[in-house]
Amino acid sequence: MKRILGITGLLIVVCVFTAIKKPEFLSAYNLQNTIRWSSLFGIVSIGVAFVIITGGIDLSIGSTIGLTGCLLAWALTQKHWGIGASLALVLGCSVLIGLTHGLLITKMKLQPFVVTLCGLLIYRGAARFITNDQSVGFGSDFKGLSKLADGKIPLPFTDAFTLPAPFVTMLVVAIAAAIFLNQTIYGRYLLALGRNETAARYSGINTDRMVILAYVICSVLGGVGGILFSLDLNSLQPSGLGEGYELYAIAAAVLGGCSLRGGEGTILGVLIGAAVLRVLNNAIQLLGIPSQLEYVIIGLVILAGVVVDEIVKRVAARRRAARESAGAGA
Amino acid sequence: MADSSPTPLLEVQNLTRRFPGVVALGGVSLKLARGEVISVIGENGAGKSTLMKILAGVQTPNSGQILLDGRPVTIDSVPAAEALGIALIHQELNLCDNLDVATNIFLGREPRRCGLIDKRKTYNASVPLLQKVGLDCSPRELVRNLPLGRQQLVEIAKALSVGARVLIMDEPTSSLSQHETDQLYRVVKELRATGVSVIYISHRLGEVKELSDRVVVLRDGQNAGELQRDEINHDAMVRLMIGRDISRLYQRPSHPAGAPALEVRGLRTPVHPRHELNFTVHAGEIVGLAGLVGAGRTELLRVLFGIDRARGGTVRVAGQEVRLHSPIDAIRAGLALVPEDRKQQGLILEMAVRHNLSLASLRRDARSGFLDRAKEGAITGEMIAALRIKTPNDRQLALYLSGGNQQKIVLGKWLALKPRLLLLDEPTRGIDVGAKQEIYRLMEELAGQGVAILFVSSEMEEILRMSDRALVMHEGGLSGEVPRGQLSEEAIMQLATGAGKH
């Protein structure tokens, strides 16, 4: 809970600071863009969070986004498949990727880092191969489908500001994920096995199946991200789409309170973490900070967040100990 | 033996140490002569560990004095303790198992030449130390390749290499085989002869009796009494530890066994595939599974609970043949396992008491996959009350509870499922006398309700006290069965050592 308050505070500070320096930050256009991109990253980060909660990692998510995005454009524009069939292909492919990761990690007992690192290379290469490394796009033929990414939902009482469609998708995904994690036995199983897989297995939990499920959720949300990112961008570079996004997603999860040791994390925290990263990116552009420094700033912010969190924990523990020993002495 | 010079080597005067909410030590005093072996015993929470940690510099006292050779000393860190010649051998060993024996002994104090490690000197210097502790392996042997008992000897050699005069051993035999334990006894006796003093901590009173020149008993952070060499016997120790008499070698009343709950025929475990195991456990019966460490008892329980696959044979539960390919299969058949390693296999330490207690029954109580929190709370409350689990509330992390209460959580997790057959692997290892009695009471209650219980124990007393019948294993096979009328330490040891065979 403290973690969420802390990171929400950080989000507010960055927003207020940027808004004061550059009022354009609050313009409808800028806010809608930032919200749209925060939502897209939020969806992908939720997926990665599930894997991190099991104590694993998914490095392949950026390449999964690249492959699924390119597959969608390829199926629609080059193979002229229907929209339904193309979406089914993309999502089916995502499920397959997650399933493969999960099976290799649980049944072959390979390390998640290694499996998904290979995935990172393979899916990127596959995306470049099927597109012949040429940029692909949707042109202006798929207005209906593109609404998923650039649709605008009017809000009551204001005409100036509309809600980007991905925000709604993100909201649906987040609510479903939060319910799954907190209200179902499967969510409890994930948290339990993330802490101690052996004890979870000895308690009658099918830990392999739960881990596989986490990787499938991660890849499918990566696939959803691939669809939305590609529709949003319209023109795609097979070598560039989603590149490095796995690091944003992992960073958002960590900033949002997930422990890489597993067993810890909240959906809300991850979403706010993703938002912080996007707002920072936006602030850097608006404030005219050289964009080369973006990674430096993001890296420092994450580091600072983790350090502050650790210090707060220690101070709290020391205070508790002091209070209790004073109580005991009295 | 014990040095009778007026100035003791080590003297502790009126030591106190307070922790949040508890007084761990409320003025404890202790004397240790040169070349003396004393045992410090007491229930968990009596203050033994705190006292030892203070002596070894891990913790500092709130007040009191420590005298070494009659001079007051301050022990504020582990290096300070080592410099004074006090070394603690932990229950869990602190060795790097990827390095060799000599490197471990001199870790952090490597002999150097021109700034580089002098390997030859390291190996040469470790040879006499290894001889001293009776370890006949090469100093170049990787610690990983040594059995646990010998790793412990490496740890002792390491302590001697820093010139330890006082060796504190905390439950050193808890995971040793009989043979390794015997070797440790020999080493302790030899060290005593060379003038090293030993403070020995153990729950196993037989060992205490075997080794001690004197026994110091702590209770609730205070001295409860002392026993001299000729006064040391089991009853006297227990009386001082718990402050009251317990019923002497109580044996549970006999009662008719029910229908067969577990029938094992021709079962072969992956570790000892050459032995076919055959036995039956009846409803309402408590069967002890005795044997030396490594006899294959844990392996048998693992196969029965579906953790490891059997190499062959059949298992029937309540007359039905069952397939046991995973713990899920076993649980479905009505089995439950309280595993050997409570912290690694039994509990999720960083989860709340409540979530640990409900973990196994979540699936049964769920409504189409959704948690039923009301039911979870009800079951948790019921188990905390029925098992008298001492916890401030059910949100407390299992990590912060004592061993006995942790074990009760593991047991409670399964009782919520109302199992037909309970498998217990060393159910009272490392827990205090009071909690032990409670676990025994629970086992009897469950048997009274018709639950079949098969329990592994390395404590002879426990087997004798709790079993309606004992099965004995030796090197992977069942070497025999002792009916309740003939239960005795001799009968079991004969079978456990293979003496009863043919």
Side-chain angles (χ1 to χ4, degrees), chain A residues 179 182-185 188-189 192 195-196 198-199 201-206 324 328, chain B residues 20-21 302 305 307 327-328 331 344-345 347-348 355 362 369-371 373 376 413-414:
Chain A
I179 289 176
N182 300 313
Q183 303 295 336
T184 71
I185 58 171
R188 181 70 63 75
Y189 287 175
R195 296 265 194 216
N196 184 342
T198 309
R201 193 154 41 86
Y202 280 40
S203 301
I205 295 170
N206 192 334
E324 282 174 4
Chain B
R302 287 173 65 93
F305 198 61
I307 296 162
I328 301 172
I331 293 166
Q344 289 302 318
Q345 305 167 334
L347 288 170
I348 308 212
H355 296 164
L362 280 183
F370 282 85
L371 296 170
R373 288 184 198 273
E376 184 182 18
K413 171 171 78 177
W414 294 118

mmCIF file of all heavy atoms in Angstrom, chain A residues 179 182-185 188-189 192 195-196 198-199 201-206 324 328, chain B residues 20-21 302 305 307 327-328 331 344-345 347-348 355 362 369-371 373 376 413-414:
data_model
loop_
_atom_site.group_PDB
_atom_site.id
_atom_site.type_symbol
_atom_site.label_atom_id
_atom_site.label_comp_id
_atom_site.label_asym_id
_atom_site.label_seq_id
_atom_site.Cartn_x
_atom_site.Cartn_y
_atom_site.Cartn_z
ATOM 1 N N ILE A 179 -8.926 -8.885 -10.424
ATOM 2 C CA ILE A 179 -9.867 -9.873 -9.880
ATOM 3 C C ILE A 179 -9.219 -11.251 -9.879
ATOM 4 O O ILE A 179 -9.271 -11.989 -8.893
ATOM 5 C CB ILE A 179 -11.180 -9.891 -10.704
ATOM 6 C CG1 ILE A 179 -11.970 -8.608 -10.432
ATOM 7 C CG2 ILE A 179 -12.020 -11.118 -10.359
ATOM 8 C CD1 ILE A 179 -13.221 -8.465 -11.264
ATOM 9 N N ASN A 182 -6.505 -11.326 -7.070
ATOM 10 C CA ASN A 182 -6.885 -11.153 -5.668
ATOM 11 C C ASN A 182 -8.119 -11.922 -5.228
ATOM 12 O O ASN A 182 -8.310 -12.150 -4.042
ATOM 13 C CB ASN A 182 -7.114 -9.669 -5.377
ATOM 14 C CG ASN A 182 -5.867 -8.866 -5.644
ATOM 15 O OD1 ASN A 182 -4.788 -9.236 -5.217
ATOM 16 N ND2 ASN A 182 -6.008 -7.787 -6.402
ATOM 17 N N GLN A 183 -8.974 -12.274 -6.194
ATOM 18 C CA GLN A 183 -10.238 -12.880 -5.785
ATOM 19 C C GLN A 183 -10.358 -14.354 -6.154
ATOM 20 O O GLN A 183 -11.309 -14.994 -5.736
ATOM 21 C CB GLN A 183 -11.419 -12.121 -6.420
ATOM 22 C CG GLN A 183 -11.453 -10.643 -6.099
ATOM 23 C CD GLN A 183 -11.683 -10.381 -4.626
ATOM 24 O OE1 GLN A 183 -12.238 -11.207 -3.922
ATOM 25 N NE2 GLN A 183 -11.214 -9.240 -4.146
ATOM 26 N N THR A 184 -9.427 -14.877 -6.953
ATOM 27 C CA THR A 184 -9.568 -16.288 -7.314
ATOM 28 C C THR A 184 -8.466 -17.113 -6.638
ATOM 29 O O THR A 184 -7.441 -16.573 -6.214
ATOM 30 C CB THR A 184 -9.448 -16.525 -8.837
ATOM 31 O OG1 THR A 184 -8.089 -16.316 -9.224
ATOM 32 C CG2 THR A 184 -10.351 -15.588 -9.617
ATOM 33 N N ILE A 185 -8.717 -18.402 -6.547
ATOM 34 C CA ILE A 185 -7.720 -19.279 -5.936
ATOM 35 C C ILE A 185 -6.456 -19.322 -6.791
ATOM 36 O O ILE A 185 -5.362 -19.506 -6.288
ATOM 37 C CB ILE A 185 -8.267 -20.714 -5.716
ATOM 38 C CG1 ILE A 185 -8.731 -21.349 -7.026
ATOM 39 C CG2 ILE A 185 -9.407 -20.710 -4.729
ATOM 40 C CD1 ILE A 185 -9.078 -22.829 -6.883
ATOM 41 N N ARG A 188 -4.110 -16.619 -5.815
ATOM 42 C CA ARG A 188 -3.463 -16.988 -4.556
ATOM 43 C C ARG A 188 -2.364 -18.016 -4.819
ATOM 44 O O ARG A 188 -1.277 -17.960 -4.244
ATOM 45 C CB ARG A 188 -4.511 -17.549 -3.593
ATOM 46 C CG ARG A 188 -3.984 -17.954 -2.243
ATOM 47 C CD ARG A 188 -3.564 -16.788 -1.368
ATOM 48 N NE ARG A 188 -4.654 -15.900 -1.038
ATOM 49 C CZ ARG A 188 -5.609 -16.173 -0.150
ATOM 50 N NH1 ARG A 188 -5.609 -17.309 0.516
ATOM 51 N NH2 ARG A 188 -6.563 -15.315 0.092
ATOM 52 N N TYR A 189 -2.657 -18.956 -5.716
ATOM 53 C CA TYR A 189 -1.659 -19.983 -6.042
ATOM 54 C C TYR A 189 -0.404 -19.349 -6.635
ATOM 55 O O TYR A 189 0.714 -19.731 -6.313
ATOM 56 C CB TYR A 189 -2.229 -20.985 -7.045
ATOM 57 C CG TYR A 189 -3.260 -21.935 -6.481
ATOM 58 C CD1 TYR A 189 -3.937 -22.829 -7.305
ATOM 59 C CD2 TYR A 189 -3.550 -21.956 -5.115
ATOM 60 C CE1 TYR A 189 -4.879 -23.698 -6.790
ATOM 61 C CE2 TYR A 189 -4.499 -22.821 -4.602
ATOM 62 C CZ TYR A 189 -5.166 -23.687 -5.445
ATOM 63 O OH TYR A 189 -6.086 -24.564 -4.935
ATOM 64 N N ALA A 192 1.553 -17.717 -3.964
ATOM 65 C CA ALA A 192 2.156 -18.725 -3.096
ATOM 66 C C ALA A 192 3.366 -19.364 -3.769
ATOM 67 O O ALA A 192 4.439 -19.479 -3.173
ATOM 68 C CB ALA A 192 1.119 -19.786 -2.733
ATOM 69 N N ARG A 195 6.544 -17.352 -3.918
ATOM 70 C CA ARG A 195 7.322 -17.304 -2.680
ATOM 71 C C ARG A 195 8.058 -18.610 -2.428
ATOM 72 O O ARG A 195 9.186 -18.610 -1.968
ATOM 73 C CB ARG A 195 6.402 -17.088 -1.479
ATOM 74 C CG ARG A 195 5.693 -15.791 -1.483
ATOM 75 C CD ARG A 195 6.464 -14.795 -0.670
ATOM 76 N NE ARG A 195 5.646 -13.640 -0.397
ATOM 77 C CZ ARG A 195 6.136 -12.416 -0.346
ATOM 78 N NH1 ARG A 195 7.399 -12.202 -0.552
ATOM 79 N NH2 ARG A 195 5.346 -11.416 -0.080
ATOM 80 N N ASN A 196 7.372 -19.722 -2.622
ATOM 81 C CA ASN A 196 7.970 -21.016 -2.305
ATOM 82 C C ASN A 196 7.294 -22.094 -3.147
ATOM 83 O O ASN A 196 6.246 -22.603 -2.796
ATOM 84 C CB ASN A 196 7.809 -21.321 -0.813
ATOM 85 C CG ASN A 196 8.493 -22.610 -0.411
ATOM 86 O OD1 ASN A 196 8.802 -23.445 -1.252
ATOM 87 N ND2 ASN A 196 8.717 -22.782 0.869
ATOM 88 N N THR A 198 8.160 -25.184 -3.874
ATOM 89 C CA THR A 198 8.098 -26.534 -3.312
ATOM 90 C C THR A 198 6.918 -26.661 -2.362
ATOM 91 O O THR A 198 6.117 -27.599 -2.472
ATOM 92 C CB THR A 198 9.396 -26.841 -2.549
ATOM 93 O OG1 THR A 198 10.493 -26.540 -3.398
ATOM 94 C CG2 THR A 198 9.470 -28.290 -2.159
ATOM 95 N N ALA A 199 6.819 -25.715 -1.431
ATOM 96 C CA ALA A 199 5.726 -25.805 -0.458
ATOM 97 C C ALA A 199 4.378 -25.722 -1.159
ATOM 98 O O ALA A 199 3.429 -26.403 -0.774
ATOM 99 C CB ALA A 199 5.855 -24.703 0.586
ATOM 100 N N ARG A 201 3.707 -26.803 -4.177
ATOM 101 C CA ARG A 201 3.473 -28.097 -4.824
ATOM 102 C C ARG A 201 3.069 -29.141 -3.789
ATOM 103 O O ARG A 201 2.159 -29.926 -4.001
ATOM 104 C CB ARG A 201 4.749 -28.537 -5.557
ATOM 105 C CG ARG A 201 4.557 -29.687 -6.507
ATOM 106 C CD ARG A 201 5.602 -29.663 -7.616
ATOM 107 N NE ARG A 201 6.922 -29.301 -7.101
ATOM 108 C CZ ARG A 201 7.779 -30.170 -6.582
ATOM 109 N NH1 ARG A 201 7.484 -31.443 -6.542
ATOM 110 N NH2 ARG A 201 8.948 -29.763 -6.116
ATOM 111 N N TYR A 202 3.751 -29.111 -2.638
ATOM 112 C CA TYR A 202 3.434 -30.055 -1.572
ATOM 113 C C TYR A 202 2.049 -29.800 -0.984
ATOM 114 O O TYR A 202 1.549 -30.614 -0.227
ATOM 115 C CB TYR A 202 4.478 -29.967 -0.444
ATOM 116 C CG TYR A 202 5.772 -30.704 -0.711
ATOM 117 C CD1 TYR A 202 6.364 -30.695 -1.963
ATOM 118 C CD2 TYR A 202 6.402 -31.419 0.306
ATOM 119 C CE1 TYR A 202 7.551 -31.363 -2.198
ATOM 120 C CE2 TYR A 202 7.596 -32.081 0.080
ATOM 121 C CZ TYR A 202 8.162 -32.057 -1.171
ATOM 122 O OH TYR A 202 9.346 -32.708 -1.391
ATOM 123 N N SER A 203 1.471 -28.644 -1.269
ATOM 124 C CA SER A 203 0.133 -28.360 -0.756
ATOM 125 C C SER A 203 -0.941 -28.709 -1.777
ATOM 126 O O SER A 203 -2.098 -28.361 -1.605
ATOM 127 C CB SER A 203 0.013 -26.883 -0.382
ATOM 128 O OG SER A 203 0.965 -26.547 0.587
ATOM 129 N N GLY A 204 -0.534 -29.385 -2.847
ATOM 130 C CA GLY A 204 -1.515 -29.828 -3.826
ATOM 131 C C GLY A 204 -1.811 -28.821 -4.921
ATOM 132 O O GLY A 204 -2.861 -28.875 -5.542
ATOM 133 N N ILE A 205 -0.913 -27.881 -5.128
ATOM 134 C CA ILE A 205 -1.107 -26.915 -6.207
ATOM 135 C C ILE A 205 -0.366 -27.419 -7.444
ATOM 136 O O ILE A 205 0.785 -27.841 -7.344
ATOM 137 C CB ILE A 205 -0.570 -25.529 -5.803
ATOM 138 C CG1 ILE A 205 -1.394 -24.990 -4.638
ATOM 139 C CG2 ILE A 205 -0.603 -24.561 -6.977
ATOM 140 C CD1 ILE A 205 -0.815 -23.756 -4.003
ATOM 141 N N ASN A 206 -1.046 -27.379 -8.581
ATOM 142 C CA ASN A 206 -0.386 -27.773 -9.817
ATOM 143 C C ASN A 206 0.476 -26.595 -10.273
ATOM 144 O O ASN A 206 0.062 -25.757 -11.074
ATOM 145 C CB ASN A 206 -1.428 -28.125 -10.875
ATOM 146 C CG ASN A 206 -0.800 -28.807 -12.071
ATOM 147 O OD1 ASN A 206 0.384 -28.602 -12.352
ATOM 148 N ND2 ASN A 206 -1.569 -29.610 -12.759
ATOM 149 N N GLU A 324 8.757 -1.131 20.211
ATOM 150 C CA GLU A 324 8.402 -2.342 20.946
ATOM 151 C C GLU A 324 9.338 -2.600 22.117
ATOM 152 O O GLU A 324 8.906 -3.059 23.164
ATOM 153 C CB GLU A 324 8.372 -3.540 19.997
ATOM 154 C CG GLU A 324 7.101 -3.545 19.172
ATOM 155 C CD GLU A 324 7.105 -4.634 18.118
ATOM 156 O OE1 GLU A 324 8.066 -5.426 18.102
ATOM 157 O OE2 GLU A 324 6.159 -4.673 17.326
ATOM 158 N N ALA A 328 8.464 -2.891 25.925
ATOM 159 C CA ALA A 328 8.831 -4.051 26.734
ATOM 160 C C ALA A 328 9.578 -3.616 27.983
ATOM 161 O O ALA A 328 9.431 -4.203 29.049
ATOM 162 C CB ALA A 328 9.705 -4.996 25.907
ATOM 163 N N PRO B 20 11.677 -6.921 21.820
ATOM 164 C CA PRO B 20 10.324 -6.361 21.800
ATOM 165 C C PRO B 20 9.316 -7.366 22.348
ATOM 166 O O PRO B 20 9.173 -8.451 21.803
ATOM 167 C CB PRO B 20 10.080 -6.103 20.315
ATOM 168 C CG PRO B 20 11.435 -5.914 19.743
ATOM 169 C CD PRO B 20 12.384 -6.700 20.575
ATOM 170 N N GLY B 21 8.668 -7.020 23.435
ATOM 171 C CA GLY B 21 7.608 -7.890 23.929
ATOM 172 C C GLY B 21 8.048 -9.033 24.838
ATOM 173 O O GLY B 21 7.236 -9.597 25.541
ATOM 174 N N ARG B 302 7.551 -39.839 0.337
ATOM 175 C CA ARG B 302 7.485 -39.011 -0.877
ATOM 176 C C ARG B 302 6.758 -39.744 -2.008
ATOM 177 O O ARG B 302 5.984 -39.154 -2.742
ATOM 178 C CB ARG B 302 8.894 -38.626 -1.347
ATOM 179 C CG ARG B 302 9.561 -37.578 -0.476
ATOM 180 C CD ARG B 302 11.002 -37.361 -0.888
ATOM 181 N NE ARG B 302 11.105 -36.811 -2.228
ATOM 182 C CZ ARG B 302 11.179 -35.510 -2.489
ATOM 183 N NH1 ARG B 302 11.182 -34.647 -1.518
ATOM 184 N NH2 ARG B 302 11.265 -35.090 -3.724
ATOM 185 N N PHE B 305 3.045 -39.844 -1.276
ATOM 186 C CA PHE B 305 2.369 -38.571 -1.461
ATOM 187 C C PHE B 305 2.464 -38.073 -2.912
ATOM 188 O O PHE B 305 2.050 -36.962 -3.211
ATOM 189 C CB PHE B 305 2.943 -37.523 -0.494
ATOM 190 C CG PHE B 305 2.037 -36.340 -0.306
ATOM 191 C CD1 PHE B 305 0.765 -36.508 0.219
ATOM 192 C CD2 PHE B 305 2.440 -35.070 -0.661
ATOM 193 C CE1 PHE B 305 -0.091 -35.428 0.381
ATOM 194 C CE2 PHE B 305 1.590 -33.979 -0.503
ATOM 195 C CZ PHE B 305 0.319 -34.160 0.021
ATOM 196 N N ILE B 307 5.046 -37.274 -4.722
ATOM 197 C CA ILE B 307 6.099 -36.312 -5.076
ATOM 198 C C ILE B 307 7.089 -36.990 -6.022
ATOM 199 O O ILE B 307 7.491 -36.423 -7.028
ATOM 200 C CB ILE B 307 6.818 -35.801 -3.812
ATOM 201 C CG1 ILE B 307 5.822 -35.033 -2.947
ATOM 202 C CG2 ILE B 307 8.000 -34.916 -4.174
ATOM 203 C CD1 ILE B 307 6.265 -34.843 -1.528
ATOM 204 N N PRO B 327 1.127 -34.766 -5.854
ATOM 205 C CA PRO B 327 0.459 -34.542 -4.565
ATOM 206 C C PRO B 327 -1.043 -34.349 -4.747
ATOM 207 O O PRO B 327 -1.815 -34.703 -3.859
ATOM 208 C CB PRO B 327 1.131 -33.269 -4.051
ATOM 209 C CG PRO B 327 2.489 -33.281 -4.663
ATOM 210 C CD PRO B 327 2.291 -33.887 -6.024
ATOM 211 N N ILE B 328 -1.442 -33.826 -5.904
ATOM 212 C CA ILE B 328 -2.873 -33.618 -6.123
ATOM 213 C C ILE B 328 -3.609 -34.951 -6.095
ATOM 214 O O ILE B 328 -4.664 -35.076 -5.477
ATOM 215 C CB ILE B 328 -3.109 -32.897 -7.472
ATOM 216 C CG1 ILE B 328 -2.382 -31.551 -7.438
ATOM 217 C CG2 ILE B 328 -4.586 -32.708 -7.754
ATOM 218 C CD1 ILE B 328 -2.357 -30.821 -8.757
ATOM 219 N N ILE B 331 -3.772 -36.138 -2.478
ATOM 220 C CA ILE B 331 -4.736 -35.378 -1.679
ATOM 221 C C ILE B 331 -6.143 -35.822 -2.024
ATOM 222 O O ILE B 331 -6.990 -36.017 -1.155
ATOM 223 C CB ILE B 331 -4.557 -33.861 -1.918
ATOM 224 C CG1 ILE B 331 -3.214 -33.409 -1.350
ATOM 225 C CG2 ILE B 331 -5.697 -33.080 -1.309
ATOM 226 C CD1 ILE B 331 -2.787 -32.043 -1.821
ATOM 227 N N GLN B 344 11.041 -25.247 4.135
ATOM 228 C CA GLN B 344 11.164 -25.295 2.680
ATOM 229 C C GLN B 344 9.969 -25.968 2.028
ATOM 230 O O GLN B 344 9.592 -25.624 0.922
ATOM 231 C CB GLN B 344 12.436 -26.053 2.278
ATOM 232 C CG GLN B 344 13.709 -25.304 2.585
ATOM 233 C CD GLN B 344 13.767 -23.969 1.909
ATOM 234 O OE1 GLN B 344 13.406 -23.823 0.746
ATOM 235 N NE2 GLN B 344 14.163 -22.946 2.641
ATOM 236 N N GLN B 345 9.400 -26.976 2.705
ATOM 237 C CA GLN B 345 8.383 -27.786 2.052
ATOM 238 C C GLN B 345 7.004 -27.633 2.665
ATOM 239 O O GLN B 345 6.005 -27.912 2.027
ATOM 240 C CB GLN B 345 8.791 -29.269 2.125
ATOM 241 C CG GLN B 345 10.179 -29.513 1.559
ATOM 242 C CD GLN B 345 10.709 -30.884 1.895
ATOM 243 O OE1 GLN B 345 10.324 -31.487 2.888
ATOM 244 N NE2 GLN B 345 11.605 -31.378 1.059
ATOM 245 N N LEU B 347 5.767 -24.776 4.615
ATOM 246 C CA LEU B 347 5.177 -23.459 4.791
ATOM 247 C C LEU B 347 5.607 -22.506 3.695
ATOM 248 O O LEU B 347 6.663 -22.667 3.101
ATOM 249 C CB LEU B 347 5.654 -22.847 6.105
ATOM 250 C CG LEU B 347 5.122 -23.419 7.403
ATOM 251 C CD1 LEU B 347 5.902 -22.825 8.546
ATOM 252 C CD2 LEU B 347 3.652 -23.107 7.560
ATOM 253 N N ILE B 348 4.785 -21.487 3.485
ATOM 254 C CA ILE B 348 5.236 -20.347 2.703
ATOM 255 C C ILE B 348 5.505 -19.274 3.749
ATOM 256 O O ILE B 348 4.585 -18.613 4.228
ATOM 257 C CB ILE B 348 4.164 -19.955 1.681
ATOM 258 C CG1 ILE B 348 3.812 -21.236 0.935
ATOM 259 C CG2 ILE B 348 4.654 -18.796 0.823
ATOM 260 C CD1 ILE B 348 3.419 -21.171 -0.442
ATOM 261 N N HIS B 355 -3.264 -17.483 5.266
ATOM 262 C CA HIS B 355 -3.143 -17.984 3.890
ATOM 263 C C HIS B 355 -2.431 -19.326 3.841
ATOM 264 O O HIS B 355 -2.689 -20.138 2.962
ATOM 265 C CB HIS B 355 -2.434 -16.951 3.016
ATOM 266 C CG HIS B 355 -3.213 -15.680 2.885
ATOM 267 N ND1 HIS B 355 -2.692 -14.504 2.436
ATOM 268 C CD2 HIS B 355 -4.509 -15.424 3.174
ATOM 269 C CE1 HIS B 355 -3.626 -13.573 2.446
ATOM 270 N NE2 HIS B 355 -4.738 -14.110 2.896
ATOM 271 N N LEU B 362 -8.280 -24.386 -0.283
ATOM 272 C CA LEU B 362 -8.841 -23.319 -1.123
ATOM 273 C C LEU B 362 -9.692 -23.886 -2.252
ATOM 274 O O LEU B 362 -10.787 -23.414 -2.522
ATOM 275 C CB LEU B 362 -7.713 -22.491 -1.757
ATOM 276 C CG LEU B 362 -7.023 -21.414 -0.937
ATOM 277 C CD1 LEU B 362 -6.017 -20.699 -1.810
ATOM 278 C CD2 LEU B 362 -8.036 -20.437 -0.390
ATOM 279 N N GLY B 369 -13.929 -21.151 -8.789
ATOM 280 C CA GLY B 369 -12.601 -20.554 -8.885
ATOM 281 C C GLY B 369 -12.399 -19.330 -8.005
ATOM 282 O O GLY B 369 -11.283 -18.900 -7.785
ATOM 283 N N PHE B 370 -13.487 -18.762 -7.505
ATOM 284 C CA PHE B 370 -13.346 -17.561 -6.688
ATOM 285 C C PHE B 370 -13.151 -17.930 -5.215
ATOM 286 O O PHE B 370 -13.739 -18.883 -4.719
ATOM 287 C CB PHE B 370 -14.572 -16.657 -6.843
ATOM 288 C CG PHE B 370 -14.549 -15.873 -8.115
ATOM 289 C CD1 PHE B 370 -15.024 -16.422 -9.290
ATOM 290 C CD2 PHE B 370 -14.009 -14.597 -8.147
ATOM 291 C CE1 PHE B 370 -14.976 -15.717 -10.486
ATOM 292 C CE2 PHE B 370 -13.954 -13.871 -9.327
ATOM 293 C CZ PHE B 370 -14.434 -14.435 -10.498
ATOM 294 N N LEU B 371 -12.304 -17.159 -4.546
ATOM 295 C CA LEU B 371 -12.044 -17.393 -3.133
ATOM 296 C C LEU B 371 -13.323 -17.172 -2.329
ATOM 297 O O LEU B 371 -14.068 -16.237 -2.606
ATOM 298 C CB LEU B 371 -10.991 -16.395 -2.619
ATOM 299 C CG LEU B 371 -9.591 -16.460 -3.194
ATOM 300 C CD1 LEU B 371 -8.806 -15.242 -2.729
ATOM 301 C CD2 LEU B 371 -8.901 -17.730 -2.733
ATOM 302 N N ARG B 373 -13.849 -15.970 1.002
ATOM 303 C CA ARG B 373 -13.089 -15.438 2.131
ATOM 304 C C ARG B 373 -13.755 -15.720 3.479
ATOM 305 O O ARG B 373 -13.069 -15.895 4.485
ATOM 306 C CB ARG B 373 -12.878 -13.939 1.956
ATOM 307 C CG ARG B 373 -11.874 -13.640 0.860
ATOM 308 C CD ARG B 373 -11.607 -12.154 0.757
ATOM 309 N NE ARG B 373 -10.990 -11.825 -0.515
ATOM 310 C CZ ARG B 373 -9.672 -11.866 -0.720
ATOM 311 N NH1 ARG B 373 -8.864 -12.193 0.252
ATOM 312 N NH2 ARG B 373 -9.184 -11.583 -1.905
ATOM 313 N N GLU B 376 -12.781 -19.149 4.322
ATOM 314 C CA GLU B 376 -11.357 -19.166 4.628
ATOM 315 C C GLU B 376 -11.127 -18.680 6.059
ATOM 316 O O GLU B 376 -10.407 -19.303 6.838
ATOM 317 C CB GLU B 376 -10.596 -18.259 3.635
ATOM 318 C CG GLU B 376 -9.096 -18.298 3.826
ATOM 319 C CD GLU B 376 -8.352 -17.358 2.869
ATOM 320 O OE1 GLU B 376 -8.975 -16.448 2.293
ATOM 321 O OE2 GLU B 376 -7.126 -17.543 2.723
ATOM 322 N N LYS B 413 -3.232 -27.028 8.099
ATOM 323 C CA LYS B 413 -3.508 -26.923 6.672
ATOM 324 C C LYS B 413 -4.157 -28.211 6.173
ATOM 325 O O LYS B 413 -5.072 -28.192 5.366
ATOM 326 C CB LYS B 413 -2.180 -26.662 5.952
ATOM 327 C CG LYS B 413 -2.238 -26.724 4.465
ATOM 328 C CD LYS B 413 -0.933 -26.244 3.866
ATOM 329 C CE LYS B 413 0.153 -27.298 3.953
ATOM 330 N NZ LYS B 413 1.396 -26.867 3.314
ATOM 331 N N TRP B 414 -3.666 -29.351 6.675
ATOM 332 C CA TRP B 414 -4.194 -30.636 6.219
ATOM 333 C C TRP B 414 -5.456 -31.029 6.958
ATOM 334 O O TRP B 414 -6.358 -31.620 6.377
ATOM 335 C CB TRP B 414 -3.132 -31.721 6.366
ATOM 336 C CG TRP B 414 -1.981 -31.477 5.449
ATOM 337 C CD1 TRP B 414 -0.686 -31.250 5.795
ATOM 338 C CD2 TRP B 414 -2.029 -31.395 4.026
ATOM 339 N NE1 TRP B 414 0.070 -31.037 4.688
ATOM 340 C CE2 TRP B 414 -0.717 -31.118 3.580
ATOM 341 C CE3 TRP B 414 -3.042 -31.529 3.086
ATOM 342 C CZ2 TRP B 414 -0.407 -30.966 2.234
ATOM 343 C CZ3 TRP B 414 -2.738 -31.375 1.750
ATOM 344 C CH2 TRP B 414 -1.437 -31.102 1.335
#
